[in-house]
Amino acid sequence: MSSTTTDSLASSITSVLRPLRSLSPNLNSPLAFIVPIVVILLRVAYVQAKHIHETRTAKKRNMSYTVKWGRERLHFPLPSSDAKLAEIRHEIATYTQLDPQAFKLVHAGAVMKDDNAPISAYGIKPNSTIAVVGGGDVPGASKRRKHKERPAERTEASTVAQIRGELDAVRRTLQPDVDAFLATLDPSSVPSSTASAPPPQPASALTDGKVTQLGGRNTDVELEHRRLGELLLQSLLRLDAISAEGEWEEARKERKGAVKEVQGLLDRLDGGWRARPRTNVQSQT
């Protein structure tokens, strides 16, 4: 019974009671004893009709399930427990206009795969929540994408800047450590351009094949050599992964020069390690 029906019934009862009330004071009327009974019965009928309406409304509210679709929360009447999952899928697809086979249904953290299985097999009960995963855009998704910044277009200038950034990082972080490492092994290995400069820091004296403080990282000479070598190789791989398009002559030239410089630093590191004075460094077993 809808609320409109209930209101209509109440209005009808009121219209009937109005003339009956006017007759009740007349004790000589044959209706003097009937009117109160009729009034009571009509009032009881109204209360019962209202109670039935409220009970049906509450029952209908409790016999539904919730569908979580993006930020939307949709409510659908729950079919019988022996209904197939395909029935729920079809109902959701009809409302959302999604391809029925393009989305997954998730309940209680598990994907419901068999559309021919009854919903009771998945534990779907009144007030259960089913999530729709996939299937395309959800409400507001296309709008959010418009505000998303597009990635910057790759140009020769940006490629050159990327190459120079990689080379600057090597010069700033790895080259000083390589110079310090080689100076620790053999001071004569330091390039002539830096011979008059103060000793590289923060290297320290070599004692029994150990570097007590070499960049604050590894105290073992062999481990430090391995670390520097791996970092230089990683830099070479990153430079190699930077592609220069067919007409980008400047970019190819920059990459070639950067690779040559990093490779030269790696060769110095390995050469100094192989030629290290054996009298100062205990041989590694």
Side-chain angles (χ1 to χ4, degrees):
M1 182 181 295
S2 65
S3 58
T4 304
T5 304
T6 306
D7 294 340
S8 178
L9 177 60
S11 177
S12 300
I13 292 175
T14 303
S15 63
V16 172
L17 289 176
R18 191 177 295 111
L20 290 177
R21 289 195 186 98
S22 63
L23 293 174
S24 59
N26 188 359
L27 298 177
N28 296 324
S29 172
L31 299 176
F33 299 99
I34 299 177
V35 169
I37 296 175
V38 174
V39 170
I40 293 173
L41 291 176
L42 289 174
R43 284 180 175 174
V44 170
Y46 170 73
V47 172
Q48 288 181 342
K50 184 178 180 181
H51 175 71
I52 292 173
H53 169 67
E54 291 176 349
T55 301
R56 288 180 177 177
T57 301
K59 185 177 180 181
K60 184 178 180 181
R61 188 183 303 114
N62 293 331
M63 292 298 292
S64 64
Y65 65 95
T66 303
V67 174
K68 183 180 177 182
W69 182 41
R71 295 185 178 180
E72 296 289 325
R73 296 295 184 275
L74 312 174
H75 299 276
F76 295 95
L78 184 68
S80 60
S81 59
D82 59 348
K84 295 182 178 180
L85 181 65
E87 184 175 335
I88 287 182
R89 181 182 294 277
H90 175 73
E91 191 170 30
I92 294 175
T94 301
Y95 182 90
T96 60
Q97 298 298 305
L98 297 174
D99 182 352
Q101 303 305 320
F103 59 86
K104 297 179 181 179
L105 298 177
V106 179
H107 176 251
V111 178
M112 299 182 288
K113 298 180 180 180
D114 187 1
D115 283 359
N116 292 320
I119 62 174
S120 59
Y122 294 108
I124 299 176
K125 302 175 182 179
N127 300 320
S128 290
T129 298
I130 298 175
V132 175
V133 179
D137 292 343
V138 296
S142 59
K143 184 178 180 180
R144 290 195 298 271
R145 266 204 309 270
K146 290 180 181 178
H147 296 286
K148 206 172 185 180
E149 294 184 3
R150 296 180 59 186
E153 184 179 357
R154 188 168 175 270
T155 62
E156 183 176 15
S158 64
T159 302
V160 170
Q162 183 181 1
I163 296 170
R164 290 176 178 174
E166 179 66 31
L167 183 58
D168 288 343
V170 171
R171 290 170 174 171
R172 187 176 61 256
T173 61
L174 293 181
Q175 185 172 343
D177 282 355
V178 170
D179 289 341
F181 180 77
L182 295 177
T184 302
L185 294 179
D186 183 5
S188 64
S189 65
V190 180
S192 57
S193 59
T194 60
S196 59
Q201 297 294 331
S204 65
L206 183 65
T207 305
D208 296 333
K210 302 287 184 178
V211 179
T212 56
Q213 183 185 352
L214 190 55
R217 298 180 181 87
N218 294 316
T219 58
D220 188 281
V221 176
E222 186 174 4
L223 289 178
E224 180 66 6
H225 170 254
R226 188 182 307 163
R227 181 188 74 85
L228 293 172
E230 288 177 354
L231 290 177
L232 289 171
L233 283 174
Q234 291 174 13
S235 178
L236 287 172
L237 291 174
R238 286 193 293 269
L239 288 171
D240 185 65
I242 301 175
S243 60
E245 303 298 334
E247 302 297 326
W248 293 357
E249 186 64 31
E250 182 183 359
R252 285 199 299 274
K253 184 178 179 180
E254 286 285 342
R255 187 181 64 180
K256 183 178 179 180
V259 169
K260 183 178 180 180
E261 183 171 338
V262 176
Q263 183 63 57
L265 192 59
L266 180 59
D267 292 341
R268 279 187 55 222
L269 174 69
D270 290 339
W273 176 251
R274 288 191 298 268
R276 65 190 185 281
R278 298 293 176 171
T279 56
N280 292 335
V281 182
Q282 290 183 348
S283 58
Q284 305 292 330
T285 58

